[in-house]
Amino acid sequence: MPEADREKTQFMNKLLDLEILREETGEDIRYIYLCSQKLELPFLDYMTVRDLIEMSGYEDDAPLIAVLMTMFGVLQEGSLCLDIENERLYTGLLSFIEKQKAGEIAREFLSGLSKNKYKGLITSNGDEYLPLILSETKRGKLLYFQKFFLHENLLRRRMGALLRAEPSLKISGGTIEAYLKEIYSPQLSIRISKGDLPVERDKHQTEAIRLSLRSQFSIISGGPGTGKTSLMVNIIRCLTRAGVDAEEILLGAPTGRAAQRMTEAVQYNINTIKEPSEGDEELLSLKGSTLHKILRYQSYNHDFYYGETNPLPASVIILDEVSMVDVVMMEKFLRAVDPSRTKLIFLGDKDQLPSVEAGAVFAEMIPDGIRAERFKGRLTALKKVYRSGANLLGLAKQMNRGIRPAYSTLPFKSALQLKPDKWAFVQNNGVIAWRDHIRLWTEYHYLRPLHGANRSFRDLIAEACGMDQGRLLNSDPGQEILGQIFNGVESARVLSLVRNGIYGCAGINREVANYLSLEFESSEWIKKGCFSGAVIMITRNDYSKELFNGDVGVVMREGRGAYRAFFPRFGSYITFSMDMLPPWELAFAMTVHKSQGSEFDDVLLVLPEDETHRLLTREIVYTGITRTKRRLIIYGTESGLNSALERKIERQSGLRW
């Protein structure tokens, strides 16, 4: 039996086992379920569809089942709702149902809807407690699951209150200019590492500071290298000069790693100031936190301590990586913000990937001449790039506009030898060639001397394993070795669009581990599930250990055979026994989504084998490219890259500010 037929049979048998299908199910419904396999929905979604149609009495309604499948499909892609305005529904169903059949199903569903056929399941009254809400607006007919309809409307209301709020902190224009003059003065300026030079007084950054001090709510958008982190620190320096105490400032981010980077940014930038003021030094106590931690998530009732009747006791909140925040989390966060007393500042990159969950809140706030005009006076876009690598940044911008760059394919060995600020495209020639290329990548970055060093990553790991943890953590030689190891870790990363399969990060990590473990210490990888030199990533926050989702560490075996993981922290390192760690996974490769906010010297960006994969978009390619500082290899097919450039993420919602 061909592999595709075997997968279809297994899929249908699974639906039967879960009692989602019955033996007597009609052919139309079987056809819809079989086609829906293309949506790659979790089986929990199928069970939810089954429950909805059974509870409402529509078990044999094929058009309704198709629409519910489509809704879960667009929800998985990040949309809040399904546009069912005539041909738009027809187009939506085309993603998994044959064209002619999709048209028939769409017409039958819309006819039934107009005759109030689905009154037990769908309502136009948002206050009525039914699973689906039909919202008719000037844009057309939008069909929601009730949860997302509720959160979208509450978010719109809360954002309106923010936009209407008067500044709680009144600062005159002259005072703001005095603050700017002071923080950019030679003795008080933040300095950049190369040459100990003060940061440049850029007009867009100073305008962002002015806007943040004047407005109760402001947005700052900037791509990689535009200085968002030093700008954030300069904003809070001005706020403390205006009388805001450090303990009244909250720094938040959607992920633990992004929150940790905010903490590191404050520590690093304040420590570069030659003569920091007393207020500047007080900022060293600031720590970034996840939104869940800020709101104090209570697991026993799946709710937050802070909310509408108990707002956050903060004068200023700065939220970073806002593009990663979904509509539900954003609404719950704003629910806990009192706009009359709390200044709110959003930081993000409007071109980066939107949230994994539903909604594209940050993108919807960016004025483009059609939408979000209410935010026009609240936005500063940072334009000047300070990071080296103009060619790679130009490539990212070009691809983000959907423009195909001129290039010729290169052999993988040649691509590994690229000069700085260059990129190459390597053609995917099948699994055998791919495994050979992964081996070459692994040898190049982990077994040969590191860039600017006379030792390889393998040599450094062997030397570190010869020391006990006390010497590693507390001696100058130990600190130097750990520093070089983590420089090696951050020098290269494979980024994949997907998790599973030979071209997904899980498959790539297995390939690298199978090869490196034999090079580093025989076959411990097979026995223990880890090995000295393994690069790992934490996948769940553990606040008691200050380990966060996205933290990257390195595993090493002590002399007596125990394995420990080491993680960098504020110029030093922390370590834990492997059996004390929260959940983790290998991180020689990671998804582009997980890489957001990180930068690496060399990046191998792997496109999926399926050239029609839903994740192939401009935004994900842009995000992958902008993770690299020196060199980039894009690995895939030319038609796959073209497909990505032709697709822009368009998430459906009713948010039109």
Side-chain angles (χ1 to χ4, degrees):
M1 180 186 293
E3 186 63 30
D5 291 341
R6 185 181 297 111
E7 288 180 2
K8 289 177 183 177
T9 301
Q10 291 172 347
F11 174 73
M12 297 299 279
N13 287 339
K14 180 71 171 178
L15 295 183
L16 283 166
D17 290 342
L18 292 171
E19 297 182 353
I20 293 168
L21 285 181
R22 302 184 302 274
E23 293 291 349
E24 66 273 16
T25 299
E27 284 302 313
D28 282 351
I29 294 177
R30 281 181 172 271
Y31 168 78
I32 288 166
Y33 275 111
L34 183 59
C35 290
S36 71
Q37 187 183 14
K38 299 175 187 176
L39 296 175
E40 300 179 2
L41 300 177
F43 282 104
L44 181 61
D45 288 350
Y46 288 98
M47 295 169 77
T48 305
V49 170
R50 177 199 63 193
D51 292 346
L52 286 171
I53 60 175
E54 285 183 356
M55 287 188 298
S56 54
Y58 300 109
E59 294 97 326
D60 299 321
D61 196 306
L64 177 62
I65 293 171
V67 169
L68 289 173
M69 290 293 182
T70 305
M71 287 193 68
F72 277 110
V74 298
L75 185 63
Q76 183 171 261
E77 292 183 350
S79 290
L80 294 173
C81 56
L82 176 65
D83 191 338
I84 62 168
E85 185 70 34
N86 299 321
E87 73 278 0
R88 293 175 190 160
L89 173 59
Y90 173 84
T91 304
L93 286 168
L94 287 179
S95 65
F96 76 102
I97 294 178
E98 183 270 328
K99 186 175 180 179
Q100 182 177 350
K101 190 70 174 177
E104 295 173 6
I105 291 170
R107 286 188 290 273
E108 190 174 344
F109 172 78
L110 290 172
S111 174
L113 188 66
S114 67
K115 296 173 183 175
N116 208 23
K117 178 180 179 181
Y118 305 114
K119 62 182 179 180
L121 188 64
I122 303 172
T123 179
S124 297
N125 181 359
D127 295 325
E128 191 175 353
Y129 195 75
L130 283 178
L132 282 83
I133 307 294
L134 177 62
S135 175
E136 299 196 43
T137 68
K138 293 179 181 178
R139 292 186 58 242
K141 296 178 180 178
L142 305 177
L143 190 61
Y144 292 82
F145 287 115
Q146 188 184 71
K147 168 185 174 179
F148 296 103
F149 178 82
L150 173 66
H151 285 293
E152 182 183 274
N153 280 279
L154 287 174
L155 176 60
R156 186 184 294 108
R157 188 189 311 163
R158 298 184 201 288
M159 190 61 72
L162 262 177
L163 292 169
R164 292 190 298 271
E166 291 294 321
S168 54
L169 190 64
K170 303 287 196 294
I171 312 174
S172 69
T175 302
I176 292 174
E177 295 308 310
Y179 294 158
L180 288 170
K181 184 176 180 181
E182 183 178 344
I183 66 170
Y184 283 106
S185 65
Q187 298 306 311
L188 284 163
S189 176
I190 290 171
R191 294 179 174 269
I192 53 179
S193 57
K194 291 184 179 178
D196 196 33
L197 298 172
V199 294
E200 182 180 324
R201 182 168 169 161
D202 170 70
K203 67 177 183 178
H204 298 294
Q205 293 209 15
T206 52
E207 183 51 44
I209 295 173
R210 292 186 187 101
L211 178 63
S212 299
L213 296 179
R214 288 196 311 263
S215 300
Q216 193 71 344
F217 173 60
S218 54
I219 304 168
I220 300 166
S221 176
T226 53
K228 292 193 295 294
T229 54
S230 60
L231 171 61
M232 175 195 74
V233 177
N234 272 335
I235 289 172
I236 58 178
R237 293 177 69 202
C238 288
L239 288 167
T240 58
R241 284 162 169 76
V244 179
D245 292 334
E247 58 264 26
E248 296 176 358
I249 300 172
L250 290 177
L251 305 180
T255 67
R257 185 66 193 105
Q260 187 71 23
R261 283 193 294 268
M262 295 183 84
T263 308
E264 293 167 354
V266 174
Q267 298 274 333
Y268 173 80
N269 283 286
I270 294 296
N271 284 322
T272 67
I273 302 170
K274 286 190 173 181
E275 297 179 8
S277 68
E278 184 178 340
D280 291 336
E281 291 180 333
E282 287 177 358
L283 295 175
L284 292 171
S285 64
L286 284 178
K287 292 187 181 296
S289 297
T290 64
L291 298 186
H292 280 75
K293 188 175 182 181
I294 286 175
L295 298 177
R296 292 193 193 174
Y297 178 69
Q298 299 171 319
S299 58
Y300 66 88
N301 64 353
H302 301 291
D303 205 352
F304 296 100
Y305 174 76
Y306 290 109
E308 190 167 17
T309 58
N310 183 31
L312 288 161
S315 296
V316 177
I317 301 175
I318 300 179
L319 180 58
D320 195 14
E321 299 285 4
V322 182
S323 64
M324 298 170 67
V325 183
D326 62 90
V327 71
V328 174
M329 191 66 228
M330 182 63 79
E331 188 276 315
K332 290 184 176 181
F333 173 70
L334 292 186
R335 188 185 303 181
V337 175
D338 180 354
S340 67
R341 66 156 293 181
T342 302
K343 180 185 289 288
L344 188 59
I345 301 166
F346 283 176
L347 297 171
D349 180 355
K350 65 181 178 64
D351 296 319
Q352 199 163 285
L353 280 169
S355 59
V356 175
E357 302 298 329
V361 180
F362 191 66
E364 295 280 7
M365 293 181 189
I366 307 301
D368 62 2
I370 300 173
R371 64 184 178 191
E373 290 304 298
R374 295 178 69 188
F375 293 94
K376 199 166 187 179
R378 308 298 182 113
L379 170 71
T380 304
L382 305 180
K383 297 179 180 177
K384 186 166 184 177
V385 177
Y386 295 92
R387 196 175 82 185
S388 58
N391 184 52
L392 289 173
L393 288 172
L395 172 71
K397 291 178 181 178
Q398 186 177 7
M399 289 198 178
N400 197 47
R401 295 195 299 269
I403 301 171
R404 185 182 186 276
Y407 65 87
S408 300
T409 59
L410 280 182
F412 196 83
K413 281 186 178 179
S414 301
L416 286 173
Q417 306 294 331
L418 289 171
K419 293 181 178 179
D421 197 25
K422 298 295 182 182
W423 76 285
F425 185 89
V426 176
Q427 177 71 31
N428 182 341
N429 287 319
V431 171
I432 295 175
W434 168 238
R435 287 200 166 106
D436 184 49
H437 294 157
I438 280 294
R439 181 182 58 79
L440 290 172
W441 170 271
T442 304
E443 289 176 351
Y444 188 88
H445 289 288
Y446 298 101
L447 303 182
R448 64 188 290 279
L450 294 169
H451 176 68
N454 59 2
R455 289 178 291 181
S456 69
F457 184 78
R458 175 176 55 185
D459 297 334
L460 292 165
I461 293 294
E463 192 168 344
C465 288
M467 299 182 181
D468 61 34
Q469 63 166 302
R471 189 170 176 224
L472 266 177
L473 294 175
N474 301 315
S475 71
D476 289 340
Q479 290 279 302
E480 181 184 354
I481 288 173
L482 286 173
Q484 291 184 44
I485 285 172
F486 279 97
N487 284 339
V489 167
E490 297 306 306
S491 69
R493 196 63 52 87
V494 183
L495 301 182
S496 174
L497 276 62
V498 298
R499 283 192 58 82
N500 300 317
I502 187 71
Y503 301 105
C505 62
I508 297 168
N509 277 319
R510 282 194 301 272
E511 291 289 326
V512 175
N514 288 339
Y515 182 63
L516 271 190
S517 62
L518 296 175
E519 293 287 334
F520 280 36
E521 52 169 10
S522 68
S523 58
E524 291 302 299
W525 159 243
I526 305 299
K527 297 177 188 175
K528 306 282 189 181
C530 63
F531 60 94
S532 289
V535 179
I536 66 170
M537 180 171 59
I538 299 299
T539 58
R540 190 174 70 199
N541 297 334
D542 186 334
Y543 293 105
S544 66
K545 297 181 179 66
E546 294 195 344
L547 289 174
F548 305 105
N549 184 3
D551 276 351
V552 172
V554 176
V555 177
M556 283 177 262
R557 185 172 65 171
E558 295 181 300
R560 61 181 180 271
Y563 286 88
R564 303 188 68 85
F566 290 77
F567 300 86
R569 278 297 179 275
F570 311 125
S572 186
Y573 302 90
I574 58 175
T575 182
F576 298 94
S577 171
M578 293 299 291
D579 58 6
M580 296 293 290
L581 292 181
W584 57 270
E585 62 189 26
L586 290 171
F588 296 102
M590 61 173 57
T591 62
V592 176
H593 276 92
K594 278 283 189 182
S595 74
Q596 290 185 87
S598 300
E599 291 181 342
F600 313 100
D601 290 336
D602 293 351
V603 165
L604 171 57
L605 178 60
V606 182
L607 305 183
E609 188 177 21
D610 179 4
E611 297 169 0
T612 65
H613 198 285
R614 62 184 181 82
L615 288 178
L616 272 172
T617 64
R618 297 180 200 172
E619 289 85 353
I620 204 164
V621 172
Y622 167 85
T623 303
I625 293 172
T626 53
R627 299 311 95 202
T628 184
K629 295 186 288 185
R630 291 185 72 244
R631 301 180 298 184
L632 168 73
I633 300 173
I634 299 178
Y635 194 98
T637 62
E638 293 188 52
S639 54
L641 181 59
N642 291 339
S643 294
L645 299 183
E646 290 167 4
R647 289 187 63 199
K648 185 171 176 59
I649 294 176
E650 296 289 349
R651 294 190 166 182
Q652 296 179 25
S653 80
L655 287 175
R656 288 297 180 268
W657 309 104

